[in-house]
Amino acid sequence: MKHIRNFCIIAHIDHGKSTLADRLLQSTNTVSDREMMDQVLDDMDLEREKGITIKSHAIQINYRSKAGEDYVLNLIDTPGHVDFSYEVSRALAACEGALLLVDATQGIQAQTISNLYLAIDNDLEIIPVINKIDMDGAMIEEVKDQIIDLIGCKPEDILLASGRTGQGVDEILEAIVQRIPPPEGDENAPLQALIFDSVFNSFRGIIVYFRVMNGIIRKGDKIKFVSTGQEYEADEVGILKLKMTEKKEIKAGDVGYIITGIKNAKEVKVGDTITMANNPTPEAIKGFEEVKPMVFAGIYPVNTDDFEELRDCMDKLQLNDASLTFEVETSQALGFGFRCGFLGMLHMEIIQERLEREFNQTVITTVPNVSFLAYTTKGETIVVNNPSEFPDPVKTDRIEEPYIKAQIITKPEYIGNIMTLCLGKRGILVNQNYLTPTRVELVFEMPLTEIVFDFYDKLKSQTRGYASFDYHPLGYRESDIVKMDILLNGDKVDALSALIHRSRAQEFGRKLCEKLKELLPRQQFQIAIQAAIGAKIVARENISALRKDVTAKCYGGDISRKRKLLEKQKEGKKRMRQIGNVEVPQEAFLAVLKLDD
């Protein structure tokens, strides 16, 4: 065990985690030149296209140190985006050390700090690394000072590297061996292993990735999952190279996978403990947090008949992405579907893309919203995840909405833009301090509702991409929230309803009506699009009727003939309007997400 090291790489988005991981694998010959490509650990097409890591990936590296000893290094590459910080927390639970990567051209950013705090909370040994030192704009000395201020290390502890050229990679490998402590654990104790990920394979069933804390797991053992109490036989155990490699046994301190032929996704929970059926461990592993979804939206199949198939796909997707939560719901406009909880808007977009690519499911997503707490006059508390659950305003005493603490790090010249943006989103400035003369940190308390839609995109455009953003939930505060309905010819379209602050309702309603006017196809009759709060209409647009020119055949002659034809047409239109229904195309549901474009 003293020759095992478990470590992960943490950093802000685009600071070069995946590129550095590529170099580590290449310099230790873990991956042959034939198999080598950029972002080798990112195995989803989606990750390659967007250039981001979505999943944590584990791989085992064999390394011979300068002293001539052989080591086994288990590397877990982690995502950088704030929406996937749950993946990072799972990777940290399986490690003893972390490489903290900072881009030499950009310095410390918000996600660097929040991931660092996550690592410190888990008592990990931190190795600071400045990456991209070969770039023209590298500010090595400035970034060194920032790191020393942040974690209080010595200047000589900071490693310099370039993921692109491979410079400094050998020093990083040596530092991992020297500085990160070996795992602690007892091979003779009862088996205790932490599940940190799982994936569905249509031939083998569910493959579970785990880290052994104590004991040994062997092929053919009878094992038990603590939280579900289910028992299985280990058909195959092994380690994670680029492909899975079968082994006879995996000992304490190591990372591996197990296949037991489980087919039902509900039986595997990430964060669960694996132990022996005949000699179970007295206690489960602690320190694994439950995921808290921030944004809720409905996902519906385009064809109602595909509902069961979509349910299976969601189960399989949840295996691979434990931060996705969902429950069944129905809508008058869209039929049966799911109410899903996501960690943020990017997470929601990725889930939608994965459903389409990996499972061929075309889905409609409704307006995203957050969960509110409604207190009734009788003293009951209702959790409102969906506009249709919103209680009658007459019976409601007060409504509370979730607030977050937003931490923004930027250059001083963009402070004005950020202030305008955040105060316009009902934010309260709590703190402002200069990390360095060219780096300022702003802390706001803001309602989560305002961030859900387009805050991140606007922040990037207002600061030319120089602001980094991270947030933490603060709890609930009282607020004046109303339910806004969209009516088409007097009929509510429940999938377009939204919960919104009263001060923003009129503007939002007007924009939404204008957008729907562009997107709804014209009919033979006039369509009235209205935004209403209760019985009060706050905005309205009309789509005029497609009109056939019935008077074309009359030229000359008496006006009464034309009038008669027009009156007849008018009667027909009136009748049509009473019985005609309006089909809402899928683009209309998506348009709500992009109101300010």
Side-chain angles (χ1 to χ4, degrees), residues 48-162:
R48 291 224 153 79
E49 278 170 32
K50 291 186 181 278
I52 55 174
T53 303
I54 295 168
K55 290 288 304 161
S56 303
H57 297 276
I59 189 163
Q60 194 169 91
I61 300 171
N62 293 342
Y63 171 66
R64 171 160 284 192
S65 70
K66 288 179 180 164
E69 294 189 33
D70 288 330
Y71 287 89
V72 170
L73 313 179
N74 289 311
L75 156 68
I76 302 179
D77 183 25
T78 62
H81 197 281
V82 61
D83 280 11
F84 304 112
S85 55
Y86 182 67
E87 285 283 335
V88 180
S89 73
R90 286 164 37 183
L92 296 175
C95 295
E96 276 85 31
L99 297 181
L100 177 73
L101 215 56
V102 182
D103 185 331
T105 60
Q106 295 185 330
I108 284 174
Q109 295 192 294
Q111 204 58 34
T112 319
I113 294 177
S114 69
N115 283 344
L116 172 70
Y117 288 155
L118 277 175
I120 291 172
D121 287 347
N122 282 346
D123 293 333
L124 264 59
E125 178 65 36
I126 311 284
I127 300 179
V129 178
I130 299 179
N131 194 18
K132 305 192 187 179
I133 55 167
D134 59 316
M135 301 277 277
D136 294 341
M139 312 172 293
I140 297 171
E141 292 308 316
E142 276 182 51
V143 177
K144 265 190 183 175
D145 292 344
Q146 289 177 21
I147 294 175
I148 293 165
D149 282 351
L150 183 66
I151 55 177
C153 62
K154 297 189 183 78
E156 56 270 22
D157 290 346
I158 301 172
L159 302 175
L160 303 180
S162 164

Side-chain angles (χ1 to χ4, degrees), residues 167-182:
Q167 185 184 345
V169 168
D170 294 341
E171 287 82 0
I172 292 175
L173 287 163
E174 274 301 309
I176 290 167
V177 170
Q178 301 299 335
R179 295 197 214 166
I180 294 177

Side-chain angles (χ1 to χ4, degrees), residues 252-267:
D254 219 340
V255 173
Y257 72 91
I258 179 169
I259 299 175
T260 55
I262 308 170
K263 289 283 188 283
N264 183 1
K266 292 273 186 288
E267 291 173 29

Side-chain angles (χ1 to χ4, degrees), residues 381-568:
T381 306
I382 302 168
V383 179
V384 182
N385 285 336
N386 185 342
S388 61
E389 297 167 3
F390 199 71
D392 184 351
V394 180
K395 296 174 184 166
T396 312
D397 176 37
R398 67 181 193 282
I399 290 176
E400 293 184 352
E401 66 174 332
Y403 264 70
I404 59 158
K405 181 180 176 185
Q407 176 193 28
I408 298 168
I409 295 180
T410 185
K411 292 186 167 183
E413 59 258 39
Y414 300 117
I415 292 179
N417 294 2
I418 291 174
M419 290 277 198
T420 313
L421 174 67
C422 294
L423 297 176
K425 298 267 186 194
R426 298 190 287 131
I428 304 156
L429 180 65
V430 182
N431 195 0
Q432 172 182 346
N433 66 359
Y434 280 82
L435 302 172
T436 68
T438 56
R439 270 287 149 95
V440 61
E441 178 190 42
L442 300 167
V443 179
F444 287 91
E445 289 183 358
M446 297 174 75
L448 183 59
T449 340
E450 300 288 344
I451 280 185
V452 163
F453 279 108
D454 52 3
F455 178 79
Y456 198 64
D457 297 343
K458 278 192 172 167
L459 180 69
K460 287 285 179 209
S461 57
Q462 299 265 348
T463 59
R464 299 189 187 156
Y466 275 112
S468 58
F469 169 68
D470 186 46
Y471 62 84
H472 304 282
L474 278 180
Y476 285 80
R477 297 182 187 177
E478 193 173 337
S479 190
D480 189 6
I481 299 292
V482 291
K483 178 185 175 188
M484 194 176 75
D485 292 307
I486 296 293
L487 311 177
L488 294 180
N489 279 351
D491 294 333
K492 283 184 188 174
V493 182
D494 60 349
L496 289 174
S497 297
L499 298 172
I500 192 162
H501 194 264
R502 196 183 292 276
S503 63
R504 306 293 296 275
Q506 191 165 357
E507 179 197 359
F508 181 75
R510 196 168 61 246
K511 280 186 180 165
L512 190 49
C513 289
E514 284 167 8
K515 198 83 174 176
L516 287 172
K517 184 180 180 180
E518 291 169 26
L519 289 165
L520 292 179
R522 286 172 72 185
Q523 307 281 358
Q524 292 280 336
F525 51 91
Q526 186 186 20
I527 305 171
I529 308 168
Q530 293 166 310
I533 298 172
K536 183 185 174 194
I537 305 291
V538 291
R540 171 177 175 138
E541 291 284 340
N542 286 338
I543 298 179
S544 52
L546 278 172
R547 186 167 155 250
K548 187 178 168 193
D549 190 358
V550 286
T551 58
K553 58 188 177 188
C554 306
Y555 49 94
D558 190 18
I559 186 71
S560 58
R561 286 180 62 204
K562 289 185 182 175
R563 199 164 285 147
K564 184 177 158 192
L565 287 168
L566 288 168
E567 287 295 327
K568 191 174 170 190

